[in-house]
Amino acid sequence: MFGCNKKLKFLSTTVFSRPRFITVLPSSLLSTANPSVSFTKQAHACIVVSGLHGNASFLGHLIALLALCPSTPLEYSFAIHQTINNPPVFMSNNMIRCIAKSESPRKSLVFYSDSILRSCARPNNYTFTFLLQACSKSLGLCEGVQIHGQLLRLGFGQDVYVKNALIHFYSCCCKVESSKKVFEESPQRCDVVTWNVMLAGFARDGELSAAENLFVEMPERDVVSWNTMIMAYVHNGKLEESLDCFRRMRECGLPPNEATLVTMLSASAQLGLLGHGRMVHSLIDLFNIPMTVTLGSALLDMYAKCGCIEQARIWFDKLPRRDISTWNVMICGLASHGLAKEALALFRRFLNEGLCPVNVTFIGVLNACSRAGLVKEGWRYFRLMGDVYGIEPEMEHYGCMVDLLGRAGLVSQAVEMIESMDLSRNPVLWATLLCACRIHGLEEMGQSIGHKLIQLDPTYDGHYVQLSSIYAKSKKWEDVVRVRKLMVERNTCKVTGWSLIEDQGMVHRFVSGDREHKRSLEIYKMLERIETRLAEAGYTPNIVSVLHDIGEEEKEIVIKVHSERLAIAFGFLVTSSGACIRIVKNLRVCSDCHEFSKMISRVFEREIIVRDVSRFHHFKEGKCSCADYW
DNA sequence: CTAGGGTTAG
């Protein structure tokens, strides 16, 4: 019934039958790893029954115990605290700690002035550590600055815990300069945590090079230092650097922990590196790291984002514990692979288990509906979200709905939705519709939306390319040229398209027309051979498409070999016959490469899995899982 | 007697 029965038994025997050992009781209680409120209540009952309820020390420990519980009703600790007149500072400190951990950490400052200052009790280094925690959490900059002044006056400025809390506090409140000041004041009075909080401060502030320099300077690095550095890379989009940092950590022989692996799984997932992700997976067992909900969710996410949706599913069923996030990862994963039926079935199971969906859950559900063209169901879930679960739709939900309607050819309904919701300044929604117009051949509508888009978002070249391809489809060549000229004149920002493929733990990234790879010669030869075979099988590249209907990847009018083909050709060089080829792209697949991949999957009996910027394409036996809509 | 830093999902 209770997780801590053994401890409780020990407690009661101590209290009732061996009162001379009573002072042992509190410390043995506090050694409890994960106290629960119910356990603490029983301890409380024992204390009361044995007539010790006036003992401030016991009750202080009880409050300390409550501070360690994952969620405690504050009233409970308050009630205990109030039973003691002139509570000792030890008790008040733990009370502050409780409040700091609660949902309303700001109250700890009120408590501090009411309880400690008013009673003229002397706060100590613990008091300030907890108070600063509260300020960090509630972003109470002004209050924290006052606390800082007070603790300096009372002479706690050199306490290492207080100092670390201060550095942490300033960096939480976006005042890294102040953190740095505190950090640099007395360098001899610091420990590895001091360095770590400073490191995290730079990372939080996006000062990656400052973080790197500090990391190099550190006299010693523990697992948190490495984790902080690795996360700094991941959060700043330096995914390959994070992999490299992890490699260096492993070379140091320092064992990774859960946080390390969660971050590395996330990095592998974002990059789409299945091999790397699998390697990280194997470390979970190697280091005996318990499969927590967080780790499990990160693992599923890695498999789903690396194209192994079956593996994700297998692990989903195997996981010892799941929470809402785990379900979200799985539902969204299935949807991104176009497995709409499975995603919706899982969602129904989710509801049957009595779980409450959140906004992300509905993004997965609506995405699934959109991929399967389930207009009616999409609307139903969209309404269910607000009516039953009270979730206000966000931009992403509208995005799914616009995609759903556009895909079904109901472009005017989608336009209506965008305009009635006053979302007409959002380029992403219009871009989704432009895509629908292109696919459904709605040229007039496409042209008008295209012009709206380049007005709304004139700096992104993808819109110009889309618009020009719509004109190309209607053979309006002057307009094609006009739009392209406009794009050049406006000096739009280009995102260089690339395709990535992993081989033997190495990442090979290709750009359009790439000749940099050391096996470039072989790659082009292989590509030629592939193209010959495809031509024999009846694949003819669409000349109009090559010249004009080019995907976002193609930024110049010059015809170059798309990066995706180079990656595929390289895939043929390094994988054994019949093995699946996995590609990750940072942009959308162009229609010509899409055809090309479909043909390859048939002619060479090769499965190709391409991760696009927004979805997966599984090419198999001449067909694609996206059913030619993307 | 009590204390600190780092974590997932669209």
Side-chain angles (χ1 to χ4, degrees):
Chain A
M1 189 166 143
F2 302 104
C4 309
N5 268 341
K6 229 178 179 173
K7 277 272 155 57
L8 193 67
K9 208 166 169 189
F10 168 64
L11 167 76
S12 39
T13 51
T14 316
V15 171
F16 294 121
S17 50
R18 308 180 65 172
R20 62 203 158 96
F21 289 128
I22 236 158
T23 47
V24 174
L25 186 144
S27 57
S28 76
L29 264 178
L30 286 173
S31 70
T32 307
N34 302 303
S36 65
V37 178
S38 66
F39 172 69
T40 313
K41 279 185 176 167
Q42 291 182 69
H44 192 187
C46 288
I47 289 172
V48 172
V49 167
S50 54
L52 293 163
H53 50 275
N55 184 314
S57 172
F58 278 113
L59 296 182
H61 278 97
L62 213 54
I63 294 177
L65 210 54
L66 286 169
L68 292 173
C69 295
S71 64
T72 323
L74 262 189
E75 309 81 59
Y76 183 36
S77 8
F78 266 126
I80 298 172
H81 183 265
Q82 271 158 11
T83 59
I84 300 290
N85 277 333
N86 291 322
V89 73
F90 168 73
M91 195 176 200
S92 301
N93 284 347
N94 281 309
M95 196 57 226
I96 292 174
R97 194 182 181 199
C98 276
I99 309 170
K101 283 204 169 176
S102 76
E103 291 300 299
S104 37
R106 288 172 60 94
K107 283 186 187 156
S108 55
L109 293 147
V110 181
F111 177 87
Y112 168 64
S113 56
D114 282 359
S115 172
I116 298 192
L117 295 186
R118 198 158 297 168
S119 69
C120 301
R122 221 182 122 79
N124 60 18
N125 41 350
Y126 289 88
T127 319
F128 289 113
T129 309
F130 296 141
L131 280 175
L132 286 169
Q133 265 175 29
C135 294
S136 305
K137 205 173 150 193
S138 61
L139 305 183
L141 181 61
C142 296
E143 295 92 333
V145 170
Q146 285 184 44
I147 298 289
H148 189 177
Q150 248 179 65
L151 69 89
L152 286 183
R153 277 195 299 282
L154 290 169
F156 294 112
Q158 289 308 311
D159 182 276
V160 69
Y161 282 90
V162 172
K163 220 169 93 164
N164 295 347
L166 266 174
I167 297 171
H168 180 69
F169 154 71
Y170 279 119
S171 87
C172 283
C173 294
C174 306
K175 291 278 180 191
V176 193
E177 280 308 309
S178 306
S179 295
K180 229 168 113 185
K181 252 193 190 152
V182 178
F183 177 71
E184 282 165 355
E185 263 163 16
S186 50
Q188 69 284 2
R189 306 274 299 168
C190 77
D191 62 7
V192 66
V193 179
T194 321
W195 288 87
N196 286 348
V197 282
M198 196 59 241
L199 186 67
F202 285 136
R204 203 173 284 129
D205 204 46
E207 291 183 52
L208 208 54
S209 52
E212 279 171 329
N213 291 336
L214 199 78
F215 188 72
V216 172
E217 263 183 71
M218 291 177 76
E220 62 163 315
R221 284 172 279 271
D222 66 4
V223 64
V224 177
S225 326
W226 284 98
N227 289 353
T228 307
M229 196 62 231
I230 291 172
M231 281 168 211
Y233 284 124
V234 174
H235 284 152
N236 287 283
K238 308 266 182 200
L239 298 169
E240 273 146 288
E241 284 85 344
S242 82
L243 262 50
D244 203 59
C245 190
F246 178 65
R247 204 167 296 135
R248 277 181 285 138
M249 177 188 180
R250 299 282 300 115
E251 280 162 13
C252 285
L254 194 68
N257 64 10
E258 187 194 346
T260 325
L261 299 191
V262 167
T263 311
M264 282 328 291
L265 285 170
S266 163
S268 313
Q270 286 181 57
L271 282 164
L273 302 179
L274 180 63
H276 192 270
R278 280 185 177 142
M279 183 272 288
V280 178
H281 184 175
S282 71
L283 297 180
I284 297 176
D285 290 331
L286 190 65
F287 290 96
N288 273 321
I289 294 169
M291 185 55 82
T292 59
V293 172
T294 311
L295 189 56
S297 307
L299 185 69
L300 296 187
D301 187 49
M302 182 279 289
Y303 277 120
K305 288 213 168 76
C306 290
C308 276
I309 193 67
E310 317 78 27
Q311 277 298 312
R313 188 56 205 252
I314 289 168
W315 281 96
F316 178 81
D317 294 328
K318 264 200 210 172
L319 285 183
R321 288 168 58 183
R322 312 180 189 103
D323 69 357
I324 304 263
S325 318
T326 323
W327 287 82
N328 287 347
V329 166
M330 200 61 232
I331 293 171
C332 292
L334 288 166
S336 79
H337 282 270
L339 298 167
K341 263 198 303 195
E342 290 84 345
L344 294 177
L346 198 65
F347 178 61
R348 281 189 291 269
R349 211 179 107 197
F350 173 94
L351 294 181
N352 283 339
E353 297 210 0
L355 294 160
C356 186
V358 294
N359 52 2
V360 182
T361 323
F362 281 103
I363 289 168
V365 169
L366 295 176
N367 243 323
C369 292
S370 143
R371 301 284 148 81
L374 302 170
V375 180
K376 234 173 66 192
E377 283 83 347
W379 275 117
R380 193 164 67 79
Y381 287 126
F382 187 73
R383 279 191 287 264
L384 183 83
M385 178 170 85
D387 296 350
V388 177
Y389 299 101
I391 300 166
E392 205 51 47
E394 290 163 37
M395 194 52 75
E396 284 77 4
H397 299 102
Y398 287 113
C400 293
M401 288 310 287
V402 167
D403 189 53
L404 171 68
L405 296 170
R407 181 182 294 254
L410 305 166
V411 178
S412 47
Q413 263 190 48
V415 172
E416 209 173 284
M417 176 170 212
I418 295 178
E419 285 174 345
S420 69
M421 291 296 164
D422 201 27
L423 303 164
S424 51
R425 301 213 43 82
N426 185 290
V428 178
L429 299 182
W430 290 114
T432 306
L433 273 189
L434 185 56
C435 180
C437 292
R438 181 174 51 80
I439 290 162
H440 290 293
L442 303 169
E443 286 150 20
E444 240 170 77
M445 178 84 86
Q447 286 158 23
S448 103
I449 291 176
H451 279 287
K452 200 189 289 273
L453 250 177
I454 59 175
Q455 255 181 330
L456 277 175
D457 194 4
T459 55
Y460 179 56
D461 64 337
H463 303 324
Y464 295 85
V465 176
Q466 283 270 9
L467 179 58
S468 78
S469 75
I470 294 233
Y471 278 127
K473 229 173 175 174
S474 339
K475 304 200 170 20
K476 294 185 175 170
W477 307 122
E478 296 99 60
D479 289 314
V480 173
V481 173
R482 190 171 52 80
V483 172
R484 293 229 158 233
K485 261 191 183 159
L486 211 57
M487 178 173 100
V488 176
E489 279 165 21
R490 290 189 183 167
N491 201 17
T492 54
C493 36
K494 295 178 178 189
V495 181
T496 312
W498 49 254
S499 296
L500 167 160
I501 181 166
E502 192 187 21
D503 173 49
Q504 318 267 337
M506 295 283 286
V507 175
H508 303 262
R509 198 191 292 266
F510 297 91
V511 296
S512 178
D514 206 325
R515 300 239 167 219
E516 296 295 304
H517 198 278
K518 63 176 190 289
R519 295 178 69 177
S520 193
L521 221 64
E522 284 175 81
I523 293 168
Y524 277 91
K525 269 189 192 159
M526 176 58 89
L527 190 58
E528 231 180 273
R529 201 166 305 165
I530 293 171
E531 279 168 350
T532 313
R533 278 281 304 278
L534 290 191
E536 285 164 11
Y539 166 77
T540 45
N542 182 349
I543 298 299
V544 173
S545 140
V546 170
L547 283 173
H548 301 288
D549 182 19
I550 37 191
E552 283 173 32
E553 178 166 353
E554 195 60 284
K555 297 307 178 325
E556 295 148 55
I557 301 183
V558 206
I559 305 164
K560 278 189 182 171
V561 181
H562 286 182
S563 63
E564 191 172 328
R565 298 180 188 220
L566 295 173
I568 291 175
F570 181 74
F572 269 88
L573 287 175
V574 297
T575 55
S576 53
S577 155
C580 169
I581 295 174
R582 294 164 189 277
I583 312 272
V584 178
K585 294 173 64 71
N586 66 334
L587 296 176
R588 213 186 277 251
V589 185
C590 88
S591 52
D592 210 38
C593 287
H594 197 263
E595 278 307 305
F596 180 80
S597 307
K598 270 164 52 180
M599 283 299 274
I600 290 183
S601 73
R602 187 163 64 86
V603 174
F604 296 94
E605 294 168 72
R606 281 273 193 162
E607 196 177 340
I608 301 177
I609 300 178
V610 176
R611 189 178 89 178
D612 188 295
V613 67
S614 64
R615 72 202 64 206
F616 276 92
H617 300 264
H618 290 252
F619 298 99
K620 203 177 173 182
E621 292 160 8
K623 289 193 204 109
C624 179
S625 61
C626 78
D628 296 343
Y629 189 112
W630 74 96

